[in-house]
Amino acid sequence: MPRPSSATLATFAAMSTILTLAGPAQAARTSSWPEPVPVVTRIDTQDPVVFITLDDGWNHDSAAQRLLLERRIPASLFINPMHYSWDKKYYQDLLNHGPSRMENHTLNHVDLPGLSPQEQRAEICGARDRNLAAFGDSPQLFRPPSGRYDEETRRAARACGAKALVTWTYNATDAPWNPNPELPELRPGDIILLHLDTTAEADLRRVLDAVDASGLRPAQLRDYAPDRAPSP
């Protein structure tokens, strides 16, 4: 077999160098895509508004539903699909007859930082798809279970259609893991975390009293949440 010429060897060497240099660059581009969503703990606004959010959704309390509808509260509902699968009408009535909106809280309420990027996307995109199929409206916001996230969570949220990852300013849920929570005087832009559990109605009334005392009003969070992080 004839030996390759020096010119051919030089060509192979040059191509090898190009491929070697291109590999890490391509990997860097892949790992930095898509752009992470901003993380929002409160909204920077001068409007006299606060934001009421309700998580999980396993307790379908008719009194809490009635209060949300009667007061026309534009709540953001971060509900797991497994919690509406057995009684979709409870949430359908909130969405059809009031200003609440369904947002994203993963399929299975798992700890996202412990999952691979692919598993995180499956949890977030899977819940988005279920919400869209069930209610005809795709979530715009994402809240990770327990508020725990990493950089891959922020990228996965963007890939799954969210414009922001939302945590909270105050947790006002009265629960064994958060007993007798106290609310300070609320400020414009505060995000209030509640849960649709056995204390939902009482928690809602206490928060709405605090909102009224502060001279504020509830507003729809997706209308205020940014879709890009602020420039440094």
Side-chain angles (χ1 to χ4, degrees):
M1 179 177 179
R3 295 177 61 186
S5 67
S6 57
T8 302
L9 290 173
T11 300
F12 286 161
M15 290 178 62
S16 177
T17 300
I18 292 171
L19 291 172
T20 300
L21 293 174
Q26 181 63 42
R29 285 195 296 271
T30 301
S31 65
S32 63
W33 183 92
E35 175 191 0
V37 294
V39 176
V40 179
T41 59
R42 65 185 314 278
I43 298 295
D44 183 12
T45 181
Q46 297 302 312
D47 293 351
V49 297
V50 295
F51 307 97
I52 294 177
T53 68
L54 294 112
D55 279 17
D56 297 351
W58 64 269
N59 184 51
H60 298 182
D61 183 355
S62 59
Q65 182 196 58
R66 186 164 54 252
L67 180 57
L68 288 168
L69 291 174
E70 288 176 353
R71 288 285 302 265
R72 302 289 298 173
I73 305 301
S76 299
L77 306 174
F78 293 91
I79 308 301
N80 305 106
M82 60 184 173
H83 292 143
Y84 62 66
S85 60
W86 52 275
D87 183 13
K88 190 177 74 170
K89 186 177 185 302
Y90 180 89
Y91 292 103
Q92 194 73 68
D93 286 346
L94 282 173
L95 301 177
N96 288 350
H97 304 297
S100 294
R101 292 293 178 266
M102 186 68 71
E103 305 296 359
N104 196 330
H105 199 43
T106 71
L107 278 174
N108 300 297
H109 205 273
V110 293
D111 186 37
L112 290 174
L115 302 182
S116 69
Q118 294 76 18
E119 290 170 328
Q120 292 200 41
R121 289 196 185 196
E123 280 288 334
I124 301 171
C125 289
R128 174 205 59 191
D129 294 345
R130 291 276 295 276
N131 288 346
L132 181 59
F135 303 111
D137 184 22
S138 185
Q140 295 184 20
L141 306 175
F142 171 67
R143 172 173 283 157
S146 304
R148 284 176 44 79
Y149 63 91
D150 59 17
E151 192 71 2
E152 290 299 339
T153 311
R154 296 174 62 197
R155 297 190 190 284
R158 176 79 73 188
C160 297
K163 69 176 184 177
L165 185 154
V166 177
T167 57
W168 53 87
T169 316
Y170 301 112
N171 182 352
T173 303
D174 188 1
W177 41 268
N178 190 49
N180 303 314
E182 294 186 6
L183 278 174
E185 182 175 352
L186 298 174
R187 298 180 300 157
D190 285 344
I191 299 173
I192 311 302
L193 169 64
L194 296 172
H195 290 75
L196 274 165
D197 57 17
T198 55
T199 63
E201 182 197 9
D203 288 345
L204 269 170
R205 291 191 182 280
R206 178 165 41 82
V207 167
L208 290 173
D209 286 346
V211 171
D212 292 341
S214 299
L216 304 172
R217 58 180 173 81
Q220 182 50 249
L221 182 55
R222 65 165 59 179
D223 294 341
Y224 282 80
D227 62 359
R228 293 290 186 274
S231 300

